[in-house]
Amino acid sequence: MNPSSHPALNPGVRKREVLGWAMYDFANSGYTTVVLTAVFSAYFVSGIAGGASWATLAWTSALAFSSIIVMLTMPLIGAYADLRAAKKQLLMISTAGCVLATAALAGAGPGQVAWAIVAVVLSNVFFSYGESLIAAFLPELARPDSMGRVSGWGWGFGYFGGMLTLGLSLAYVFWAQGQGLPASHFVPVTMLITAAVFALSSLLTFILLRERAQPQTRQQKLEQAHHFALLRGHAPPPSQVLQEPGLQASLARLHRTWHESRRFRDFSAFLLSSVAYQAGISVVVTLAAVYAAEVLRFTQMQTMMMIFLVNIAAIIGAFVWGYVQDRIGHRPALGITLGGWILMTLLAALATGPTLFWVAAVLAGLCMGSSQSAGRALAGVFSPAPRRAEFFGLWTFAVRLSSIVGPMTYGLITWITAGNHRLAIVSTGAFFVLGLLLLARVNVNRGIEAAASNGDV
């Protein structure tokens, strides 16, 4: 065996490539930790929007709009990435976009709602593109029976990046508050810290990670375009098809996948389950700081310390649960984590003081790392080899849909009930229950067989 390889990795994959791949999770985790969860979300509601009754709904609406953009574009981007073997190139573009838009958040001060919304929409769109593209590399790196643990390595390592970004931000906030500086001063600086860590850390990804996919041949594009044309009732001349651009070929590929959805019924069932349970996770990611501040009156410092602890728990969950997943199976592993999420929402709703809420936060961290890692691995085993970016694009479509449904439901409930966050968090538990019920319809072995037999292009 090559000393630089690992039994969990595919032949020819070097450990340093996996390090480069995992480094992207390290790089982008600061965005979700600081921008969406710990700092900017609460600052938007209380600082930029001045605590207005519509502030939480405005925040969730901005995230929902960004998710709609991703839903409409990411599957097509994934299909294009497969056809042109352009995952790494597109990953570079999306990274640059997220870094620049995150830095732009530093320019949003009190009352500048429009600026903040535009910047957070752009940053979240580019972040979501990058998250999907980096996930599509997983089946190229890990053996099928080791998908869970390798995914766990990435998620677990990623939370270290979130802790680093949050730790640097926390140190600056602590210093700024000691100097008597307001949130309008130190929150923008944390946005710049987040953008800088993302940019610098991702460099190792682009140095070490290889693009192993090969561009589709002209003949393959011809066959796909003919397939699309026949479905429309006519066949264009071969010369015309060969001149069709990548966009047309990508649309043909997506149309074929949609037409064949019954042959990938377990992948489809998994996507429905993902929409449900990821809706609940999206609430926790984007509104945990808002809940802590509005219901339990956490200070900015307390909230950041809580999220720091959540990241520690998430590291443990991601690393440990990846090995458990490969041992007991993908569906049971994911199902157990959803049970943990249900318990977490009950504890959060019952909390009247910080102690029980901290317990719920630790449980959320354990479930966060394990469920996110398990979901990505399951998407990996269901994706046919020649169409990985496309299938991960469809998985991203489901995840982005969930990020609309979950936070918007929470925001609407708080708006209708004049700020009843406890009722909103209880409703979040229903998403995890639904996800668990839908997961029961997934037959993993049948889904793997479908990926192996229908992966032809």
Side-chain angles (χ1 to χ4, degrees), residues 169-183 185-186 300-301:
S169 299
L170 190 61
Y172 184 80
V173 169
F174 184 77
W175 174 86
Q177 288 183 334
Q179 301 297 310
L181 297 172
H185 170 84
F186 60 73
Q300 191 81 60
M301 182 67 70

Side-chain angles (χ1 to χ4, degrees), residues 49-334:
S53 60
W54 47 263
T56 300
L57 182 58
W59 172 253
T60 56
S61 297
L63 296 179
F65 181 66
S66 69
S67 295
I68 291 173
I69 295 173
V70 175
M71 287 170 58
L72 294 175
T73 56
M74 189 61 231
L76 182 60
I77 291 173
Y80 179 86
D82 283 331
L83 288 171
R84 298 297 181 90
K87 296 193 300 296
K88 187 173 180 179
Q89 179 184 6
L90 294 173
L91 185 63
M92 291 179 180
I93 296 172
S94 65
T95 300
C98 187
V99 167
L100 292 174
T102 301
L105 287 171
Q112 296 178 308
V113 175
W115 178 281
I117 287 177
V118 171
V120 79
V121 166
L122 290 175
S123 63
N124 200 35
V125 166
F126 284 117
F127 168 82
S128 300
Y129 288 161
E131 192 176 43
S132 179
L133 291 165
I134 196 66
F137 283 92
L138 175 60
E140 297 178 6
L141 302 175
R143 294 180 183 271
D145 60 354
S146 301
M147 205 82 74
R149 77 187 73 171
V150 176
S151 180
W153 296 346
W155 277 108
F157 192 52
Y159 286 113
F160 280 111
M163 289 174 62
L164 172 64
T165 307
L166 183 60
L168 293 173
S169 299
L170 190 61
Y172 184 80
V173 169
F174 184 77
W175 174 86
Q177 288 183 334
Q179 301 297 310
L181 297 172
S184 58
H185 170 84
F186 60 73
V187 169
V189 175
T190 64
M191 297 299 101
L192 296 177
I193 291 173
T194 302
V197 172
F198 195 166
L200 294 174
S201 301
S202 64
L203 292 177
L204 196 60
T205 298
F206 301 121
I207 293 172
L208 297 179
L209 187 61
R210 290 175 53 192
E211 175 70 76
R212 294 178 171 273
Q214 296 296 320
Q216 301 294 322
T217 65
R218 289 165 62 87
Q219 180 60 32
Q220 288 171 319
K221 293 177 183 178
L222 172 63
E223 291 173 356
Q224 287 197 48
H226 266 293
H227 177 87
F228 189 37
L230 288 171
L231 290 174
R232 292 180 295 182
H234 66 278
S239 59
Q240 176 183 338
V241 177
L242 286 172
Q243 293 173 3
E244 289 183 348
L247 177 61
Q248 180 69 15
S250 301
L251 287 169
R253 192 184 188 100
L254 278 175
H255 190 279
R256 179 180 177 181
T257 299
W258 178 262
H259 187 70
E260 296 175 341
S261 59
R262 290 184 180 178
R263 300 166 67 185
F264 300 103
R265 55 179 172 172
D266 294 293
F267 178 70
S268 300
F270 167 64
L271 292 185
L272 289 175
S273 175
S274 297
V275 171
Y277 79 79
Q278 290 279 4
I281 294 176
S282 294
V283 170
V284 177
V285 170
T286 58
L287 293 163
V290 174
Y291 186 88
E294 298 296 320
V295 177
L296 300 170
R297 303 304 175 191
F298 273 34
T299 66
Q300 191 81 60
M301 182 67 70
Q302 286 177 308
T303 300
M304 294 176 74
M305 290 297 295
M306 177 192 70
I307 302 302
F308 198 83
L309 181 62
V310 167
N311 274 266
I312 295 175
I315 291 170
I316 298 172
F319 272 120
V320 173
W321 208 248
Y323 288 88
V324 174
Q325 180 178 356
D326 287 337
R327 181 173 294 274
I328 70 174
H330 298 288
R331 192 178 73 175
L334 182 56

